[in-house]
Amino acid sequence: MSDYKKILFNRDGAISTITFNRPDAHNALDKEMSDELQDAVRRVKRDRECRFLVFRGAGDTFCAGDDIKDFLTWTDEDPYWQARHTRRPRR
């Protein structure tokens, strides 16, 4: 994945920058943005020339966390829901 829709990825010398680019949603992470972020971080991990990784947020907010509205679209078969469900602390 190199054409991102919800993050911006830039490499300048030894510095890579990932910018969360959903300012209208305070850069909250939905499924697509999470996938793009994971891909970009793996890309940096494989880049032996990168020495610094900078995270930024477009607009006034760095990142509001998970996009709660996106949760409403998840189903029981959705891997995101399954991962979320299994991470809950057991009581």
Side-chain angles (χ1 to χ4, degrees):
M1 181 184 295
S2 60
D3 294 319
Y4 301 118
K5 296 177 183 172
K6 298 188 177 179
I7 67 169
L8 304 174
F9 182 85
N10 184 49
R11 168 96 186 291
D12 185 14
I15 303 170
S16 292
T17 303
I18 296 172
T19 303
F20 303 131
N21 195 28
R22 292 186 68 214
D24 54 313
H26 298 280
N27 299 314
L29 296 162
D30 63 3
K31 285 192 267 186
E32 184 177 20
M33 188 172 167
S34 294
D35 287 342
E36 291 179 5
L37 177 60
Q38 183 177 27
D39 182 79
V41 169
R42 285 185 175 147
R43 185 173 165 182
V44 170
K45 184 178 177 181
R46 290 187 304 266
D47 183 353
R48 306 311 280 165
E49 302 299 316
C50 180
R51 298 291 177 249
F52 301 96
L53 175 58
V54 178
F55 290 96
R56 301 180 59 185
D60 295 331
T61 307
F62 170 67
C63 180
D66 287 335
D67 188 341
I68 296 172
K69 290 185 288 185
D70 196 47
F71 291 177
L72 299 175
T73 67
W74 297 3
T75 65
D76 289 340
E77 292 78 33
D78 194 318
Y80 285 90
W81 174 253
Q82 292 173 4
R84 187 82 148 163
H85 185 70
T86 59
R87 286 189 291 184
R88 288 186 184 160
R90 306 235 188 249
R91 295 181 194 251

